[in-house]
Amino acid sequence: MRHNKKFNHLSRTASHRAAMLSNMACSLIEHKRITTTLAKAKALKQYVEPLITKSKNDTTNSRRVVFSYLKNKYAVSELFGVVSEKVANRPGGYTRIIKTGFRPSDGSEMCFIELVDFNENMAKAPKAAKRTRRSKKAAEATEVVAETATTETAAE
């Protein structure tokens, strides 16, 4: 039974796992996208998202807490500077995992994990006005009604 086993140990000791996740988080913050295995990416997502949330509140205490996880002052300054400005109005979900296939050597499922707000290719473009499939007569009739309504309000 798997009672109270909440995270993937990744076949590593606790110290090795903490060091690996810290290094991966620093790389993700620095490069905005890294390629890794799917299991490591899922573990990294759980590790880095609370740190990004903590970076929204730029206080001495939050910087110290984040530094205790990352142990890299350049990554901390990047996180509290550039990254926190981009994610300031986002309520969560700061990372995206995209599967890329299998590694040829051992068949591990590979993916890349990226910070959502830093990928311009995946950014949502503003939506164009919706077009309806009405006939020309119906469209002209609605335009005439709209014009008469504006002229009536202007006359009053």
Side-chain angles (χ1 to χ4, degrees), residues 1-5:
M1 287 187 256
R2 57 168 308 279
H3 294 306
N4 205 22
K5 295 183 177 15

Side-chain angles (χ1 to χ4, degrees), residues 110-130:
M110 299 298 289
C111 66
F112 59 82
I113 181 169
E114 65 183 1
L115 296 175
V116 171
D117 293 319
F118 289 91
N119 189 350
E120 290 80 22
N121 298 334
M122 300 279 283
K124 291 184 179 179
K127 291 184 178 179
K130 271 190 154 181

Side-chain angles (χ1 to χ4, degrees), residues 58-121:
D58 191 5
T59 61
T60 305
N61 184 50
S62 60
R63 280 183 179 264
R64 286 177 178 166
V65 169
V66 170
F67 184 77
S68 72
Y69 283 92
L70 296 181
K71 298 173 182 63
N72 184 338
K73 64 181 179 181
Y74 301 111
V76 171
S77 62
E78 177 84 6
L79 179 63
F80 278 87
V82 178
V83 176
S84 66
E85 289 174 8
K86 281 258 195 173
V87 300
N89 57 358
R90 181 178 286 277
Y94 311 111
T95 57
R96 174 187 300 130
I97 296 175
I98 298 177
K99 297 178 183 178
T100 58
F102 296 94
R103 187 162 48 198
S105 61
D106 62 353
S108 296
E109 192 168 6
M110 299 298 289
C111 66
F112 59 82
I113 181 169
E114 65 183 1
L115 296 175
V116 171
D117 293 319
F118 289 91
N119 189 350
E120 290 80 22
N121 298 334

Side-chain angles (χ1 to χ4, degrees), residues 8 10 17 20-21 38-48 97:
N8 191 348
L10 300 171
R17 189 172 51 251
M20 182 192 65
L21 289 173
L38 185 62
K40 287 180 188 174
K42 287 179 179 180
L44 179 62
K45 185 172 188 156
Q46 286 181 333
Y47 186 84
V48 79
I97 296 175

